[in-house]
DNA sequence: CACGGGCTTGATATAACATAACAAACACAC
DNA sequence: GTGTGTTTGTTATGTTATATCAAGCCCGTG
């Protein structure tokens, strides 16, 4: 088979890209039910897992949510800044920081395989909006 | 009032410390039901929230689990390494890395308030155990 | 082409994680 | 001791995620 799954992944990715900000799996599911009323959670989770593995989508561990990659397929783990006011997410890549992090964790012989780096706070536009208030 | 909540927090902390590895809120609940059979989820979540805020407990965002702080109340966010084989967690503090991270995220005016840094992989002892296999 | 083994996908059900909302208990001021 | 605000307990429900099995497809064999 295989075809059906790829179509689903493409649809999920399109929805996440249209949105731009984080979506829960169930929000994606809600969107897709317009066109596929029978859709069940495992289908979405499978599509998200495949996309996440491949790098087209990132999972925000601290939000239990997903977002389309903004920089179109990088190799390294990304650094995600998350505005707690408006939900905007920015993505950064820093091999240096990743190396520093691996070396800290590696002090005691730990072998890293996956890095989760998420920074919560307030984005520039929410910050300036607040200044005016 | 206030008293009962503090007792609950102390019991939760004691359970987490005894275990040493990550526990879900419901695992803690299960333990506590031995002595307090009526206990409901919100009680545990309140105790965990208070402990987390105060720094005695850290939440592992990528596991939806909690662990007692190993280094007894530091101010900065910690770096947590998580062995995906045995569940062992180590905790590191690195103001330098935090500063680097804040400066990366701050490039576009973002103001960080909370850092989530979790590294998954294999700990030293699981790594050497695998070598022998 | 019919069949069967091995895989991918779909559907049902349920498990795991978390919080909203309200009721009861308590503390403290008066 | 009564009123008032706060903390805790309880019930119910909402949200996130996965186990499990059934159905469909692919493809090689005869
Ligand atoms: Zn990316
Ligand atoms: Zn914002
Ligand atoms: Zn700590
Ligand atoms: Zn290990």
């Amino acid at each position: 088979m295989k075809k059906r799954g790829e179509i689903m992944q493409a649809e999920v990715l399109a929805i996440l890209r249209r949105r731009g900000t984080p979506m829960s799996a169930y929000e994606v599911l809600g969107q897709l039910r317009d066109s596929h009323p029978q859709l069940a959670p495992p289908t979405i989770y499978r599509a998200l897992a495949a996309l996440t593995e491949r790098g087209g989508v990132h999972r925000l561990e601290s939000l239990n949510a997903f977002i389309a990659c903004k920089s179109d397929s990088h190799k390294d783990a990304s650094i995600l800044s998350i505005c707690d006011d408006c939900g905007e997410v920015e993505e950064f890549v820093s091999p240096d920081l990743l190396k520093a992090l691996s070396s800290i964790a590696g002090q005691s012989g730990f072998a890293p395989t996956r890095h989760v780096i998420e920074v919560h706070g307030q984005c520039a536009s929410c910050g300036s909006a607040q200044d005016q208030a």
Side-chain angles (χ1 to χ4, degrees), chain A residues 93-115:
Chain A
V93 178
S94 167
D96 284 353
L97 188 134
L98 239 48
K99 226 170 57 175
L101 183 51
S102 294
S103 115
I104 289 169
Q107 277 167 24
S108 44
F110 187 88
T113 56
R114 175 181 160 232
H115 298 258

Side-chain angles (χ1 to χ4, degrees), chain A residues 13-133:
Chain A
L13 184 54
I15 287 171
L16 285 170
R17 283 217 243 256
R18 270 203 296 279
R19 177 71 65 95
T21 49
M23 294 179 81
S24 77
Y26 279 75
E27 283 181 284
V28 176
L29 179 58
Q31 297 275 314
L32 278 171
R33 286 234 238 242
D34 294 348
S35 43
H36 309 269
Q38 301 296 21
L39 228 49
T43 304
I44 304 298
Y45 278 98
R46 282 200 273 247
L48 287 169
L51 287 164
T52 300
E53 185 132 0
R54 185 173 105 201
V57 162
H58 302 303
R59 179 181 166 82
L60 296 155
E61 298 289 350
S62 57
L63 296 179
N64 294 332
F66 300 84
I67 193 164
C69 177
K70 312 239 174 180
S71 55
D72 207 35
S73 94
H74 41 94
K75 198 67 183 303
D76 290 324
S78 46
I79 296 163
L80 298 163
S81 73
I82 301 161
C83 178
D84 292 325
D85 287 6
C86 70
E88 202 61 42
V89 172
E90 282 192 285
E91 199 176 337
F92 305 91
V93 178
S94 167
D96 284 353
L97 188 134
L98 239 48
K99 226 170 57 175
L101 183 51
S102 294
S103 115
I104 289 169
Q107 277 167 24
S108 44
F110 187 88
T113 56
R114 175 181 160 232
H115 298 258
V116 175
I117 310 171
E118 298 175 10
V119 183
H120 285 256
Q122 197 174 43
C123 75
S125 63
C126 289
S128 57
Q130 196 184 48
D131 286 347
Q132 298 181 320

